[in-house]
Amino acid sequence: AVPRFVRVCKTIPVNASFKHLKTELEAEGFDTEKVADTMFIRSANATSFEVLTNSAFRHVVFGEWRL
């Protein structure tokens, strides 16, 4: 299996016992308006990852790009 989205975080949110707060990351999803980190996407026909832009995000959400 190959991931379709990759998110590069400077820091990962953690709680007091240093466990990752995955629910916060899941809530943000891959929405370019919510996420400040750099994200990459790999579409079905691509051989490499490319930066996820607002335009690419809209193509995915509206089903114009096949993942």
Side-chain angles (χ1 to χ4, degrees):
V2 177
R4 296 293 179 200
F5 299 96
V6 173
R7 179 177 177 173
V8 180
C9 301
K10 292 180 182 179
T11 59
I12 296 177
V14 293
N15 64 13
S17 61
F18 299 103
K19 293 182 181 178
H20 296 149
L21 298 176
K22 294 178 219 126
T23 53
E24 289 182 15
L25 297 173
E26 290 172 359
E28 292 175 351
F30 63 99
D31 187 345
T32 55
E33 297 294 322
K34 294 181 182 177
V35 177
D37 300 316
T38 304
M39 292 184 294
F40 298 89
I41 184 173
R42 183 173 186 217
S43 62
N45 300 329
T47 57
S48 61
F49 287 91
E50 58 186 60
V51 175
L52 180 65
T53 61
N54 288 337
S55 175
F57 172 74
R58 285 192 297 277
H59 286 296
V60 171
V61 170
F62 293 120
E64 298 167 0
W65 283 9
R66 190 175 142 244
L67 299 178

